Amino acid sequence: MKKKRANPNKGIMFGIMAMAIVVLAVVVFFWMWCFPDGTHGTEETRTEYRISLDEGFRGDSVQLQINDSVVFSRRVATDSLEVVVAVPDEENLLMVVRPEADAVSSFELPSEGGRVVLRNHDETVSMEAF
């Protein structure tokens, strides 16, 4: 009777399979270590602001920025205008940019949100929070 020869490829395939199982186990271990409760849902609470441009802005080009994000940028055609913005809870900075007058005004927004009224008197912008 003929003796069956050992297949060297079979040993290599079992070695590769064992290595793959070890790598998979290490990946699962680190996944469970870094994310013990699964993926964390980072649900941000948002604060809503109602920004009103009341007096002195008609005909001006105005840009409103909150935390370096432009939320409004156009020429104001009416006497009063309201912009509603929802931003993440943190310290929020409102910047009013008027490029034609080459003026920038910055204001700290209240942390609880609400209504903010902006008025333009003698090329200076004032803010009132309600």
Side-chain angles (χ1 to χ4, degrees):
M1 234 193 300
K2 253 183 152 176
K3 193 173 179 183
K4 199 172 187 182
R5 274 188 348 179
N7 189 355
N9 291 337
K10 198 176 201 179
I12 292 173
M13 292 297 286
F14 280 125
I16 292 173
M17 185 177 67
M19 185 76 88
I21 291 172
V22 168
V23 168
L24 185 62
V26 167
V27 167
V28 169
F29 172 74
F30 279 111
W31 186 288
M32 292 176 67
W33 185 22
C34 294
F35 303 109
D37 298 330
T39 57
H40 297 291
T42 57
E43 187 173 318
E44 292 180 342
T45 56
R46 299 180 79 73
T47 304
E48 183 176 286
Y49 295 100
R50 295 182 169 279
I51 303 170
S52 297
L53 301 174
D54 273 358
E55 299 172 5
F57 289 103
R58 184 181 185 128
D60 286 347
S61 179
V62 177
Q63 186 179 55
L64 300 176
Q65 299 177 4
I66 296 180
N67 299 337
D68 297 332
S69 296
V70 176
V71 294
F72 178 82
S73 179
R74 65 176 67 136
R75 186 169 299 279
V76 179
T78 60
D79 287 331
S80 68
L81 177 75
E82 185 171 271
V83 178
V84 179
V85 178
V87 294
D89 281 344
E90 58 186 41
E91 291 184 11
N92 293 314
L93 180 72
L94 171 66
M95 291 180 59
V96 181
V97 180
R98 294 176 300 140
E100 291 173 352
D102 197 27
V104 177
S105 303
S106 61
F107 305 100
E108 190 72 32
L109 291 173
S111 60
E112 64 272 356
R115 187 166 183 254
V116 174
V117 178
L118 298 172
R119 291 187 173 91
N120 185 13
H121 295 290
D122 300 324
E123 298 301 320
T124 58
V125 177
S126 63
M127 180 185 92
E128 293 178 29
F130 299 101

